[in-house]
Amino acid sequence: MMLLMALVEVVNFPLVVCGGIVRGTARPWLAMYANLDGFYLLALPLGVVLAFKIALGLSGLLVGINWEEEGCKAQTLASVGCQAPE
């Protein structure tokens, strides 16, 4: 997972810099279209392919749904303690 996150950050930082340049040139409409196109034409299809075709499938999307267990883990890490979910 760390390798994937490192790859995402390598792609992300030039986008942030380019977004700042576009805002600095007073063309916010260009940044809007770039963000919409980047999300709907690149990120969304790539996310679907990675979730359903390559990686964990639907269970990979639902990993974070068990909020009671995750909350218990967070409280344990904060040394507050909690009761285990049923």
Side-chain angles (χ1 to χ4, degrees):
M1 186 56 86
M2 289 301 292
L3 182 61
L4 179 62
M5 288 307 297
L7 180 65
V8 166
E9 284 305 314
V10 166
V11 174
N12 188 38
F13 82 84
L15 294 174
V16 173
V17 171
C18 290
I21 292 170
V22 168
R23 279 191 301 273
T25 59
R27 295 186 190 138
W29 56 270
L30 183 60
M32 178 191 69
Y33 286 125
N35 284 330
L36 287 175
D37 290 345
F39 177 74
Y40 286 109
L41 298 179
L42 180 70
L44 191 62
L46 183 63
V48 169
V49 167
L50 288 174
F52 293 109
K53 301 293 183 188
I54 295 173
L56 299 172
L58 185 59
S59 63
L61 288 176
L62 300 177
V63 164
I65 295 292
N66 193 356
W67 294 114
E68 292 86 13
E69 184 179 334
E70 295 300 319
C72 186
K73 286 180 189 176
Q75 287 180 345
T76 302
L77 288 173
S79 299
V80 175
C82 70
Q83 292 187 3
E86 297 177 11

